Amino acid sequence: MHNRLMVALDVENRAQALAVRDKLGDAAGWLKVGLRLFVAEGPQLVRELATTHRIFLDLKFHDIPNTVAQAIESAGALGVDMVNIHAAGGEAMLEAAATAAGRFPSMQLIAVTVLTSDPMPAEQARQVALQRARLAQQYGLQGVVCSVHEVAAIKASCGHDFVTVTPGIRWGGQDVQDQKRVADPAAAINAGSDYLVVGRPILKASDPHAAATEAVAMMQRAAG
Ligand code: C5P
């Protein structure tokens, strides 16, 4: 199960990132590098983190098709295991991105459907997420980022093998912060989520290793 837990390294710099990585050890199989850390430290840190963990490069590309395709090629050359784009970027962008990602078979290309912080009503979010997931699948993407509440509908429509990556994970009365559609690790597994993205509940914990281990234990119990 630890290979289905992605820890969001939403920290300032290399030293903090390596400190979290070292505290986690193998409690989580994946590290997610987002905008803040990548802008601060760049590809060298990604290479360093990739020596011990699988890497989800969460830069949510959204630009003209050619620019996005080039960025995907750079991500592939860097050797990350997963990269993402905004499904809202349109069909030509999805197609160009999927073509570029096709040259790197071990890298999964995922689309962001609706941000979990988006204030749109839950039912509307579900419909938009589903529509964008179908579009992403049509263009050959491997899966989507979505909230736990949209996983069942997406799996029902796109099939079990279509990957779902779910942020907005909270448990035990944790502060939801800016997330709007949250769920706990057990609910995420029960819904069929493939990968759980957890940031602040682990980063801000007094013991990040214990917090990650607790999340994995909840995932394991849910899986039976
Ligand atoms: O701290 P927290 O657990 O809320 O972190 C969630 C992580 O998932 C952040 O890195 C955020 O950028 C990312 N994310 C998200 N919603 C999406 C896509 C990514 O929260 N739809």
Side-chain angles (χ1 to χ4, degrees), residues 27-178:
W30 287 73
L31 298 172
K32 183 175 84 66
V33 176
L35 289 165
R36 183 190 198 183
L37 190 57
F38 192 78
V39 169
E41 300 288 354
Q44 185 48 40
L45 177 64
V46 174
R47 285 188 201 99
E48 212 170 337
L49 296 169
T51 59
T52 52
H53 290 76
R54 300 185 80 188
I55 304 294
F56 173 18
L57 189 63
D58 178 21
L59 301 182
K60 302 185 180 70
F61 300 137
H62 187 166
D63 208 315
I64 60 171
N66 184 57
T67 301
V68 168
Q70 288 173 337
I72 298 281
E73 291 209 10
S74 294
L78 183 54
V80 302
D81 302 283
M82 184 180 284
V83 66
N84 61 356
I85 61 176
H86 268 285
E91 299 188 31
M93 195 194 87
L94 289 173
E95 188 171 18
T99 302
R103 294 183 203 116
F104 304 93
S106 67
M107 179 176 74
Q108 300 188 67
L109 177 62
I110 301 291
V112 175
T113 54
V114 180
L115 291 173
T116 42
S117 60
D118 192 300
M120 82 170 72
E123 187 44 43
Q124 190 188 347
R126 225 188 324 268
Q127 280 173 21
V128 175
L130 192 54
Q131 204 178 8
R132 290 183 181 161
R134 286 194 190 120
L135 200 62
Q137 187 179 41
Q138 187 186 323
Y139 283 100
L141 276 74
Q142 279 80 37
V144 288
V145 182
C146 62
S147 94
V148 168
H149 305 278
E150 290 126 28
V151 170
I154 289 171
K155 291 277 186 183
S157 175
C158 300
H160 178 74
D161 292 343
F162 193 65
V163 171
T164 52
V165 178
T166 55
I169 305 292
R170 296 290 184 273
W171 66 94
Q174 289 161 345
D175 188 353
V176 300
Q177 287 128 344
D178 53 350

